[in-house]
Amino acid sequence: EVQNLIDLEMDGFASSSKARHSRFQRSTSDWGYVGDLVEDDDKVGLYSYKVQSTITSRLANTMIQARMVNNAKRPQPILFDVQVPKGAFIDNFTMDINGITFTSHIREKSEARKMYAQAKAKGKAAGIVRSNALDMENFQTEVNVPPGMRIQFQLHYHEMIRRKLSSYEHVISVKPGRLAKHMEVDVRIIEPQGLRYVHVPNSLGDHFDGITTISKGEKKAHVSFKPTMAQQRKCPKCSSTAVDGNFVVQYDVNRETTGGELEIFNGYFIHFFAPENLDPLPKNILFVIDVSGSMWGLKMKQTIEAMKAILSELRAADQFSLIDFNHNVRCWRDNLVSATPSQVEDAKKYIQTIHPNGGTNINEALLRATFILNEAKSLGMLDPNSVSMIVLVSDGDPTVGELKLTTIQKNVKQSIKDEFSLFCLGIGFDVDYDFLQRIATDNRGMAQRIFGNQETSLQMKNFYNQVSTPLLKKIQFNYPQESVSDVTQSSFHNYFGGSEIVVAGKVDTENLQHLESVVTATAANAELVMETLRDVEELDGFMKKDKYADPEFTRKLWAYLTVNQMMAERNAAPTAALKRNITKSILQMSLDHHIVTPFTAMVIENAEKDEIMLADQPKDPRKGCCPGTLGLTPNAPNNNKGIPAWANVTAVPLSFMPEQRSPPVSSLSINRVDNDPHFTIHLPKSQNNICFNINSEPGKILNLVSDPGTGVVVNGQLVGAKKAENKKLNTYFGKIGFYFEKKGLKVEITTETITLKDGSYGITLTWADTGHIIRKQLLISVKKESNVTISVGEEMSFMVLLHRVWKKHPVNVDFLGIYIPPENQFSPAAHGLIGQFASEPEVSIHHQTPGQAPEKPQAIMEVKGNKFTVTRGVQKDYRTDRVLGTDVLCWFVHNSGKGFIDGHYRDYLVPHLYSFMKKP
């Protein structure tokens, strides 16, 4: 049975050796939860699930602990799968297996991988998969556990709680996956500034109304969530848990009238700056809205609704304009206009007329926006005290124009020139959020993911509210050099109402008098602001009296801010030498402060150091774990086992004989779409290959298979060549989506990555990896820089082939081909450009006559009541030779397959990558 796994097992734990097995035969009676061993494939007991989080002056230290038991009569895989907020630093992971403890150490990445490889060669290693899932990062490992054995997992991470909309929000993912005998979420808040309020929204649902308790003092608070096992159940007789979501704590602190607060403790200072008593600055804002075909439906409806509300909130002193784009870029106004009631109403009417279609040209849209702002500045149209910004709303990757993300990032950076900010809203589950985050951070802005649902409009408005009230611009903090050193970022482009600026550094405690009297903040539009220094002795006494306060909070906050600042500087480094130097600094900080960054990895070892696990964060956030750590469980197919035979085809030569039918060779008897795009349909009964081309526009999505019976969808999105040749722009498949509705799984394959999504969970491999992903009996096998095979049990399989071209080629782009065997067990309801031929039509080909070329005779085809001329031709099968391909003879149907396919090819256009199609 293929198990629902995405990572390696520790084969050593399942050893049948008596000596080894005896290590685990220790008493588990202290847990009070180990009953009789039973015959059950999923008899895993969750004795306790505990989350403890302590916030000390905005620094949150969180521990997630799960204690589990295998109550089955056979060894079972036990999975520890938690979500950690993106931006948090994992600093410790331990695992206890019947009293045998595995502890963690941070190592330089290459050193850690070497240790892992050596252990793996001995069969005593396992991988911890770290991958991205929406605004969280999955941390997942699995251990094959003998009967009756107990295991405890414990993960620690820390993060800085950011203030937005006048509130700090601490989000903890609580997804135990099953009922727990003991369940607890415990949050303690210690804030020397004093607490204004503490609030816990009912984020887990009405099911748990009234269970959370809050105890609030002047400077401390305690939040507790302890549902009983009965309260955890979805219903009184249900065996599944209702605890599945985010536990959220919101609070704010008291502030001095200056809005500044300095806290000094253990040789570090933290400077919190959040003034509120200032008038908003006027803003110059350009809204850049993606209206490509993928925005069709609810996304566009919600975006229009949100934009109308946002436009209504513009102030009279603001200037604005709108740009909407697909493969083309259009401006509502070619220049900024004042936000008068009449202009706002005109803009609302314009937005209401938008109809999404076509591709996505992000590069040109952003460059047009920056041109409008730069031109307005050069013409003296901007108030010197105003703040300029661009707000990009998009749901997808570029498919038209400049496609290389790094080039787009460079173009935008050069055009903005640090003069204004870029804010990005990524809509939906498919958006490349990491790219939007990079390009926003690179240009003094920020990004936010907006989930494509009924709350899209509200989420967009909330994001806009975070940036709609600029209070200060070009802020500079000044610290006396005789008192402080190693200060983190001290200059900021903007300060928005309801947020907070945080600066940290090392401090010389013998020169505090300088720090108290000289620290200032200046801004381009405000007078000098004096800061408030909290009494050092008072703070020292307060912190040391509280047993829950983190005595290292200032050091950790300084390290957190410093590493994040260096990561941003590294991304913007103009030379390779500077980038290498910054990388060395980040690595040293990671090792000194025991945190996992893109340049370190966490090694988890037992006391004997003969069993190793590796937790590795990729340099590219879209990648999964390090190469070589993704694999299969012993019960799953390995290497080429489990990959269908047709995917391991060997080449068969063909001769050019006009009278020869398509060869009845199994290696070539397959439905395929490849090149620009050429369709080849194999008809097993008549042993004919029929081919046709589809010429459509970049960005359009073609349905290949739509089978409501099996719940399977396969769609391909077109990408255009860099330029037209002979007045024709060739298109290719740049992205292919698979939707397995009954499993709730989506697979997206692009020319860069392969991503599996299961609800909020997701994992991504790149074409640089060779590995396997298994979930819910779906197997994805990736062969480095070659192909991806997707297998669903023995019922169906698919292969996607990667075609790489020279990156500097003036015309061609990377693209994908897809191969689908006719043996796939689709239902009678299957349709789509390929799916409709799951039920083979009766085809008659007769009256063959010579063509203009000897190797291209013509004939009459009769099918589905239609009669038309076809031409003998050759298509390519690239499975064995991805450069030249293998020739496949076929009968070519002209006019985009008219007469052979049902209806017109436009009937097969769908709005989304995972949409079912309506039958033509």
Side-chain angles (χ1 to χ4, degrees), residues 82-90 130-139 157-162 171 173 428-429 431-438 447-449 451 560 564 596 617-618 620-623 760 762 764:
V82 299
Q83 291 187 333
V84 176
K86 285 185 178 178
F89 287 152
I90 294 174
R130 296 187 60 191
S131 58
N132 288 333
L134 305 183
D135 55 347
M136 291 282 186
E137 177 189 287
N138 284 91
F139 182 99
Y157 64 89
H158 66 266
E159 61 179 322
M160 190 178 84
I161 308 301
R162 301 282 184 178
V171 179
S173 177
F429 299 95
V431 65
D432 187 347
Y433 178 67
D434 295 297
F435 164 66
L436 296 182
Q437 197 169 41
R438 287 195 306 274
Q448 182 166 319
R449 187 193 294 273
F451 305 119
Y560 181 92
N564 277 288
V596 180
Q617 177 172 302
D620 182 344
R622 291 182 294 167
K623 294 183 181 180
S760 62
T764 299

Side-chain angles (χ1 to χ4, degrees), residues 222-442:
H222 180 213
V223 176
S224 179
F225 174 70
K226 284 186 176 181
T228 64
M229 186 174 280
Q231 290 170 329
Q232 294 170 45
R233 298 181 188 275
K234 282 189 175 180
C235 64
K237 295 184 179 180
C238 290
S239 60
S240 56
T241 180
V243 183
D244 184 20
N246 291 333
F247 187 82
V248 179
V249 178
Q250 298 169 336
Y251 73 95
D252 199 13
V253 299
N254 298 321
R255 283 185 173 77
E256 303 288 344
T257 55
T258 61
E261 171 90 359
L262 275 165
E263 294 183 0
I264 300 173
F265 191 69
N266 277 356
Y268 295 86
F269 80 86
I270 308 295
H271 184 180
F272 300 105
F273 182 77
E276 296 289 327
N277 55 341
L278 297 168
D279 293 328
L281 298 176
K283 57 184 178 289
N284 315 299
I285 185 167
L286 264 165
F287 299 98
V288 182
I289 305 169
D290 182 348
V291 296
S292 61
S294 56
M295 286 286 287
W296 184 86
L298 184 61
K299 284 184 193 175
M300 196 73 253
K301 181 180 178 182
Q302 294 276 340
T303 299
I304 290 172
E305 180 185 333
M307 284 304 307
K308 289 165 68 176
I310 288 169
L311 289 170
S312 296
E313 295 177 10
L314 291 172
R315 299 182 180 89
D318 295 337
Q319 297 187 93
F320 78 106
S321 189
L322 299 167
I323 291 176
D324 62 290
F325 71 97
N326 46 28
H327 50 282
N328 296 315
V329 177
R330 292 169 295 276
C331 298
W332 167 66
R333 297 285 188 269
D334 289 328
N335 54 282
L336 295 169
V337 299
S338 298
T340 62
S342 61
Q343 294 284 20
V344 168
E345 282 305 310
D346 282 348
K348 289 181 182 179
K349 291 177 183 177
Y350 177 80
I351 288 175
Q352 197 68 49
T353 64
I354 290 174
H355 297 289
N357 65 85
T360 308
N361 194 340
I362 292 177
N363 185 68
E364 187 178 339
L366 287 176
L367 293 183
R368 183 76 62 87
T370 59
F371 172 81
I372 291 174
L373 284 176
N374 284 325
E375 185 180 45
K377 182 183 178 183
S378 65
L379 293 175
M381 296 172 57
L382 305 184
D383 184 331
N385 281 331
S386 65
V387 171
S388 298
M389 65 182 75
I390 296 170
V391 177
L392 169 67
V393 181
S394 180
D395 77 331
D397 293 335
T399 61
V400 180
E402 179 57 60
L403 303 179
K404 192 174 182 181
L405 300 183
T406 53
T407 301
I408 297 174
Q409 187 174 347
K410 181 179 178 182
N411 291 345
V412 174
K413 176 73 172 175
Q414 289 177 344
S415 184
I416 286 181
K417 303 171 185 174
D418 289 335
E419 292 294 328
F420 38 90
S421 299
L422 171 63
F423 299 96
C424 298
L425 281 166
I427 296 183
F429 299 95
D430 307 325
V431 65
D432 187 347
Y433 178 67
D434 295 297
F435 164 66
L436 296 182
Q437 197 169 41
R438 287 195 306 274
I439 199 171
T441 304
D442 205 24

Side-chain angles (χ1 to χ4, degrees), residues 707-811:
D707 187 0
T710 60
V712 174
V713 170
V714 184
N715 291 325
Q717 186 171 31
L718 297 172
V719 63
K722 295 174 183 176
K723 64 180 181 180
E725 285 188 311
N726 299 322
K727 298 183 179 180
K728 177 193 172 187
L729 181 68
N730 287 331
T731 55
Y732 311 84
F733 281 138
K735 183 185 295 184
I736 295 176
F738 298 84
Y739 180 32
F740 301 94
E741 183 182 39
K742 295 182 179 179
K743 295 179 180 291
L745 300 178
K746 295 177 180 178
V747 180
E748 178 185 297
I749 301 176
T750 71
T751 56
E752 301 296 329
T753 58
I754 303 97
T755 302
L756 169 74
K757 299 170 188 175
D758 185 358
S760 62
Y761 172 83
I763 183 170
T764 299
L765 296 179
T766 72
W767 285 101
D769 299 318
T770 291
H772 310 284
I773 303 174
I774 306 174
R775 197 167 182 88
K776 297 179 180 177
Q777 296 190 347
L778 181 92
L779 166 64
I780 303 174
S781 298
V782 182
K783 186 176 180 182
K784 181 178 179 179
E785 294 295 332
S786 178
N787 61 69
V788 175
T789 304
I790 300 175
S791 302
V792 188
E794 297 182 356
E795 290 80 38
M796 59 183 69
S797 54
F798 309 86
M799 175 189 276
V800 175
L801 212 62
L802 174 66
H803 294 272
R804 287 273 190 236
V805 301
W806 180 43
K807 292 197 177 294
K808 295 184 179 180
H809 194 285
V811 178

Side-chain angles (χ1 to χ4, degrees), residues 534-606:
R534 186 158 297 281
D535 185 271
V536 178
E537 292 182 3
E538 176 191 338
L539 180 63
D540 189 74
F542 172 76
M543 288 296 181
K544 289 180 178 177
K545 285 179 184 178
D546 194 296
K547 66 178 182 179
Y548 295 105
D550 183 356
E552 298 289 324
F553 82 95
T554 50
R555 179 187 64 80
K556 290 180 180 178
L557 272 173
W558 173 79
Y560 181 92
L561 291 168
T562 300
V563 171
N564 277 288
Q565 179 184 332
M566 287 193 293
M567 291 292 293
E569 290 173 353
R570 183 184 181 276
N571 288 337
T575 65
L578 179 58
K579 184 170 286 191
R580 283 194 298 270
N581 289 335
I582 297 174
T583 301
K584 290 178 182 178
S585 299
I586 296 172
L587 173 60
Q588 193 59 52
M589 284 286 294
S590 305
L591 297 175
D592 290 346
H593 296 273
H594 200 267
I595 51 180
V596 180
T597 65
F599 309 104
T600 57
M602 180 178 284
V603 175
I604 301 100
E605 301 175 295
N606 61 351

Side-chain angles (χ1 to χ4, degrees), residues 609-621:
K609 300 186 182 298
D610 62 352
E611 288 173 349
I612 289 180
M613 305 177 78
L614 180 66
D616 191 359
Q617 177 172 302
K619 291 183 181 179
D620 182 344

